[in-house]
Amino acid sequence: MRVAVIGAGIIGITTAYELAVDGHEVTVFERRSAAAEETSFANAGVIAPGYVAPWATPGMPGKLIRQLFSRHAPVKLGWPLSGRELAWIWKWYQSCKLDSYLANRAQLLRLAFYSRDRLHQLSAGLQLEYDRSPGYMVLLRSEKDSQLVQPGLQLLREAGVTFNEINAEEVRRIEPALNPDTAFLGAVHLPDDGVANCRQFALLLKNEAQRLGVSFEFNTTVAHVERAQAASILIAGEAAPRRFDQIVMCAGLASAELLRPLGLKIPMVAVYGYSISAPIREPLNAPRSALMDERYKVAISRLGQRVRVAGSAEIGGSLGAKRASSIQTLYKVLHDWFPGAVQHAHLGAHVQAWKGARPMLPDGPPIIGGSGLPGLWLNLGHGSSGWALSCGSGRALADLMAGRPAEIDMAGLDIGRLG
Ligand SMILES: Cc1cc2nc3c(=O)[nH]c(=O)nc-3n(C[C@H](O)[C@H](O)[C@H](O)COP(=O)(O)OP(=O)(O)OC[C@H]3O[C@@H](n4cnc5c(N)ncnc54)[C@H](O)[C@@H]3O)c2cc1C
């Protein structure tokens, strides 16, 4: 089949690769000049399937309202909110009910474990070399933090995830550079999870896809998907649509706009987050792998010779407007745990401060499958865990497009669930 993939973020790249493995003739259209230049560019890189969970959880609305106005609140609202954002918040609120949460979480867990297996398979099979470190720790500052994570740990137990609750001394043995002056209770340690550079992986897999014959058209914006002719797209600046046998929408946040004229209403909003990436000053003072400060919801990751600190969730605002206080929170958390780990911009180091837009659906799981329109498939809405979910999402969609059942149960990942 001749297949067009729209978007070369991590989801478009994994999808294009898997379709090429199945022998299809694939063309990827990407408006930027390279792969993984938008949300897949500088995310935290955490691959922790047990922690891939919906943001719509019981008790979350009250918790967010209580934290909303505190200086280092993990979730912030940018006023004024648009009608679409308000509608999204309402749908998110409805998805916080226990039964929806349990179903969404179970689905995400299935996809996340499947994805991690596929990531490992691809990395080993193709001998891909990218920055990565094994192990993930959720740091608990106090007894209260520990109590708050207990329901989540019960779910990890039920899902058979390997983890250990360890005290501060044991944490310091695993991460010897942790600030000796920062007192804390302990951590949840997940030895099988870890961190890896999403963008590097995307660029490597893109090369592998090219080797299998995938053609990439960069600096090429899809203006719209044709309504009148199935599986046809119009490229901005071209007069006639291009025709394919199938199209896959992997345009991240932009997918909702592209699908709306076709009558497909996807309730997706941008949930903005930030990262700073700085060169390591002294390896002995730097983290060895990935840690999550549970109180501030900030991840600190070791990515090769750099440390990346990522977090914050903002609804409203724009990608261009960076909120200074959110970046300050990242520095605060880094300083609390690893002071002296990185070189600073004011001393001439190249420190990258980045804002990204998570393509977020209100209930949690992405949409992977047919659109209901002939020739149009969807792989979108991966929210805060698109890297962790990418390899499984690409493989599962390729299976569905081939008319084969996917290797995991895909119930709850279809567009139908959004009503
Ligand atoms: C601060 C932060 C931290 C994160 N941390 C993690 C983490 O630790 N682990 C994890 O798993 N996930 C994490 N994520 C989430 C993850 O980064 C996203 O889920 C993932 O990158 C989404 O990938 P995507 O391919 O769907 O979107 P994108 O990477 O945005 O790709 C979509 C592509 O489509 C292209 N496109 C759009 N419209 C068009 C058009 N009309 N024509 C042509 N091309 C088009 C865009 O240019 C873009 O390249 C984080 C996100 C943020 C913001």
Side-chain angles (χ1 to χ4, degrees):
M1 283 192 302
R2 291 184 66 235
V3 185
V5 172
I6 305 175
I10 188 64
I11 301 300
I13 296 286
T14 51
T15 304
Y17 174 81
E18 298 290 359
L19 288 168
V21 167
D22 283 0
H24 300 298
E25 191 187 323
V26 182
T27 307
V28 180
F29 295 96
E30 168 55 54
R31 63 185 174 186
R32 307 287 293 245
S33 58
E37 287 287 300
E38 297 212 349
T39 316
S40 307
F41 185 75
N43 60 33
V46 173
I47 308 266
Y51 272 87
V52 173
W55 283 14
T57 63
M60 187 62 100
K63 199 165 143 191
L64 291 187
I65 289 167
R66 281 193 297 280
Q67 290 182 346
L68 210 51
F69 298 103
S70 82
R71 184 160 164 236
H72 295 295
V75 179
K76 296 190 170 104
L77 296 179
W79 304 102
L81 293 170
S82 66
R84 196 181 311 159
E85 284 156 345
L86 288 168
W88 185 94
I89 290 173
W90 174 240
K91 285 203 168 80
W92 166 81
Y93 177 73
Q94 288 172 315
S95 308
C96 289
K97 291 184 193 119
L98 184 63
D99 53 345
S100 317
Y101 163 73
L102 290 175
N104 292 328
R105 182 173 163 109
Q107 187 48 263
L108 277 169
L109 278 181
R110 262 200 296 277
L111 182 59
F113 280 105
Y114 178 57
S115 281
R116 188 179 65 183
D117 289 350
R118 185 66 184 146
L119 171 68
H120 290 170
Q121 250 174 30
L122 291 175
S123 302
L126 300 169
Q127 298 184 334
L128 303 179
E129 291 295 332
Y130 50 98
D131 291 337
R132 55 183 151 158
S133 317
Y136 177 59
M137 274 201 279
V138 178
L139 293 166
L140 306 171
R141 287 181 182 250
S142 64
E143 191 56 51
K144 188 174 164 215
D145 289 354
S146 169
Q147 279 163 13
L148 287 172
V149 299
Q150 291 311 314
L153 296 187
Q154 185 52 31
L155 289 171
L156 293 186
R157 271 181 211 105
E158 285 162 17
V161 177
T162 309
F163 72 89
N164 305 303
E165 286 177 89
I166 55 180
N167 63 30
E169 204 179 311
E170 292 165 299
V171 174
R172 289 187 194 282
R173 272 203 288 276
I174 297 170
E175 286 288 356
L178 269 178
N179 187 355
D181 297 333
T182 299
F184 66 104
L185 181 78
V188 180
H189 181 224
L190 296 106
D192 299 338
D193 294 345
V195 59
N197 190 315
C198 174
R199 177 166 176 258
Q200 281 179 353
F201 178 86
L203 295 176
L204 292 170
L205 197 65
K206 177 208 142 239
N207 293 343
E208 297 297 330
Q210 273 175 317
R211 266 192 264 286
L212 294 178
V214 174
S215 118
F216 284 84
E217 297 200 20
F218 289 108
N219 300 306
T220 305
T221 301
V222 173
H224 59 251
V225 178
E226 291 286 300
R227 270 177 86 102
Q229 283 179 40
S232 300
I233 52 177
L234 186 74
I235 302 297
E238 293 186 1
R242 300 207 207 171
R243 220 179 128 52
F244 293 86
D245 298 315
Q246 309 283 342
I247 297 173
V248 191
M249 182 65 72
C250 302
L253 191 62
S255 305
E257 291 295 340
L258 285 165
L259 293 169
R260 193 168 304 122
L262 303 173
L264 297 176
K265 290 195 186 122
I266 310 287
M268 195 193 304
V269 298
V271 176
Y272 300 108
Y274 297 80
S275 70
I276 46 174
S277 307
I280 288 174
R281 186 165 88 188
E282 165 52 61
L284 287 175
N285 292 338
R288 288 178 168 173
S289 189
L291 307 100
M292 168 66 73
D293 184 320
E294 183 59 16
R295 185 172 305 168
Y296 294 99
K297 304 279 184 222
V298 167
I300 305 174
S301 314
R302 171 73 175 258
L303 290 170
Q305 295 311 308
R306 291 190 302 166
V307 172
R308 179 167 294 161
V309 191
S312 190
E314 287 175 20
I315 301 176
S318 68
L319 198 56
K322 289 198 182 104
R323 197 190 279 252
S325 64
S326 298
I327 306 240
Q328 279 158 15
T329 301
L330 302 183
Y331 277 111
K332 177 210 152 24
V333 172
L334 176 63
H335 186 79
D336 282 358
W337 296 108
F338 296 99
V342 302
Q343 301 172 33
H344 288 279
H346 66 270
L347 296 175
H350 173 67
V351 177
Q352 171 190 285
W354 172 80
K355 183 175 182 183
R358 302 175 184 90
M360 205 81 163
L361 296 168
D363 54 353
I367 300 173
I368 305 171
S371 68
L373 298 177
L376 179 60
W377 297 82
L378 309 175
N379 197 354
L380 51 90
H382 292 72
S384 58
S385 306
W387 168 216
L389 298 174
S390 59
C391 293
S393 299
R395 183 64 252 156
L397 186 72
D399 284 337
L400 297 181
M401 288 177 69
R404 287 189 294 266
E407 288 171 297
I408 53 163
D409 178 0
M410 298 294 286
L413 292 171
D414 57 317
I415 190 173
R417 76 170 198 269
L418 295 168

